[in-house]
Amino acid sequence: MDVRFENRLPPIYTVLHAGPQGKIIIEVLSQLDAQRVRGIALTVTEGLTRGMRVEDTGGPLKVPVGKEILSRMFDVFGNTIDRLEPLPAMQRRSVHQDPPPLARRSTKSEIFETGIKVIDILTPLERGGKAGLFGGAGVGKTVLLTEMIHNMVGNQKGVSIFCGIGERCREGQELYHDMKEAGVLPNMVMVFGQMNEPPGARFRVGHAALTMAEYFRDDEHRDVLLLVDNIFRFIQAGAEISGLMGQMPSRLGYQPTMGTELSQLEERIANTDSGAITSIQAVYVPADDFTDPAAIHTFSHLSASIVLSRKRASEGLFPAIDPLESNSRMAAPGIVGQRHYALAQQIRQTLAEYGQLKDIIAMLGLEQLSPHDRDVVGRARRLERFLTQPFFTTEQFTGLTGKSVSLKDALDGCERILKDEFKDAPESALYMIGTIDEVKIPQKGTEGKDLENKKGKESKKGVDDAVQSHAA
């Protein structure tokens, strides 16, 4: 929208109101000349006509901050959308904040435990860092996010903020009820800009959620887990706005300012001397193409990349994380320790060798492999199954009780599998379990007893036959 002002020209990011009762909300994005500004609508523009009166609010978009926002659900304007009683009068802050200065940032590297085996072992997350969940449609990004919310609030007593950018309304509704049933809603805030809303609302909802997160970090000195679903939709909304503003698109139709827009959002997520915002972001990868500019720009901001594989999902190996494609800057001996680092490298090597042997197995069969290679395949298949895990948030679908596994138990389990301790256990015994102690190995003693029982039965049968023949 182009708006003309006779006297004072509103600055960039100023919010304007138009339409009946000022329901149409516009954000100024550029000043065209001394009397005209161009802005983007954050609401639907139904009823807007040329020559209509526009009111300058004199300030940017603001959202409420404070303890009262916990357990509530908000839209991009800070209005509650959970149909409960309205919020009391409280402090509001602009969604446009500067990143924390370098002098306030913490340089200490700490591990953020999630309770999910495959993540904690192979792609450990950084406290105050940014992790990306990369994957196409339907491979389990949202399920993994909700499980991390459950574990964060249950184990670490922090605050979780869920930010839905351009995703389905249905997911927000389900998430709200799941978190309520799990009893973690009192430490959660949800902010939504759904896919049916205009691009302006989807573009600003991430900034609104970050402003709320910064309050808990800076004012209450609490650790915050910020979950974004989906950061690709933020980039997509920026591309739509760029087109509306008349900018020439760059490669593959994306906006020329994509890198700057993403940096303005990502740089605010940081670990400071007062607390940390740890962010986990789902990243939709268009057509599973990791060379897409949106995926490449997002990769550059992350300390850990968790890649979800459609092939593993089709095999039923959930969470469907590809252990060889996923990586983390935290997986270094100086941070996680020498034992953890060595074990993770050994697991990756075993799984990589198994990947190379799959073609031979497909063509010639497992019997054609050398004894050493057969052992590698056995270990790799058992590791793959041990790294699956039942989730709390999927209990109603799977019928399996959710498990949260400590890093120590996860490492012990992998170490024992690599030492061939479970060579005699069937592969299925390691599938969808928590700790390795849940595996039942057939004891050699019981095999001996079975043999004695078999011999006993045979001798008894022999006696019975003799008695029958004597009677005859």
Side-chain angles (χ1 to χ4, degrees), residues 242-309:
S242 179
L244 289 169
M245 295 294 288
Q247 294 172 346
M248 282 288 288
S250 65
R251 189 166 154 252
L252 294 184
Y254 287 106
Q255 65 272 40
T257 53
M258 175 166 63
T260 314
E261 289 167 2
L262 192 60
S263 298
Q264 284 172 347
L265 186 75
E266 297 280 11
E267 286 302 309
R268 289 170 64 182
I269 302 167
N271 191 354
T272 67
D273 46 16
S274 58
I277 299 177
T278 304
S279 173
I280 299 166
Q281 307 167 7
V283 187
Y284 167 69
V285 180
D288 292 344
D289 175 19
F290 284 89
T291 62
D292 191 87
I296 290 168
H297 274 81
T298 310
F299 264 122
S300 64
H301 289 279
L302 304 174
S303 56
S305 302
I306 299 166
V307 178
L308 295 163
S309 155

Side-chain angles (χ1 to χ4, degrees), residues 123-314:
T123 57
L125 306 186
E126 179 186 7
R127 178 179 171 268
K130 297 180 272 282
L133 292 176
F134 289 83
V139 289
K141 296 186 295 295
T142 305
V143 170
L144 206 50
L145 282 185
T146 51
E147 184 70 8
M148 286 183 192
I149 293 176
H150 184 281
N151 293 355
M152 164 72 176
V153 177
N155 303 340
Q156 311 211 12
K157 309 301 178 196
V159 177
S160 287
I161 295 184
F162 183 90
C163 176
I165 306 178
E167 287 292 320
R168 302 164 190 83
C169 310
R170 163 182 67 76
E171 290 172 353
Q173 170 79 351
E174 288 172 2
L175 178 68
Y176 180 81
H177 289 292
D178 289 347
M179 296 299 113
K180 198 170 184 178
E181 284 174 24
V184 300
L185 204 56
N187 284 308
M188 264 197 81
V189 183
M190 299 187 195
V191 192
F192 289 102
Q194 298 299 330
M195 58 165 55
N196 58 326
E197 294 184 38
R202 285 181 270 128
F203 190 62
R204 286 290 174 234
V205 73
H207 298 89
L210 255 173
T211 304
M212 294 175 179
E214 284 166 345
Y215 165 81
F216 288 108
R217 179 191 68 190
D218 300 336
D219 294 40
E220 299 213 353
H221 308 301
R222 295 174 75 175
D223 280 5
V224 182
L225 178 64
L226 175 68
L227 299 116
V228 182
D229 187 18
N230 190 300
I231 201 73
F232 171 78
R233 305 291 177 201
F234 168 77
I235 294 170
Q236 196 176 39
E240 290 175 47
I241 287 172
S242 179
L244 289 169
M245 295 294 288
Q247 294 172 346
M248 282 288 288
S250 65
R251 189 166 154 252
L252 294 184
Y254 287 106
Q255 65 272 40
T257 53
M258 175 166 63
T260 314
E261 289 167 2
L262 192 60
S263 298
Q264 284 172 347
L265 186 75
E266 297 280 11
E267 286 302 309
R268 289 170 64 182
I269 302 167
N271 191 354
T272 67
D273 46 16
S274 58
I277 299 177
T278 304
S279 173
I280 299 166
Q281 307 167 7
V283 187
Y284 167 69
V285 180
D288 292 344
D289 175 19
F290 284 89
T291 62
D292 191 87
I296 290 168
H297 274 81
T298 310
F299 264 122
S300 64
H301 289 279
L302 304 174
S303 56
S305 302
I306 299 166
V307 178
L308 295 163
S309 155
R310 194 172 300 283
K311 188 170 183 297
R312 290 177 71 82
S314 65

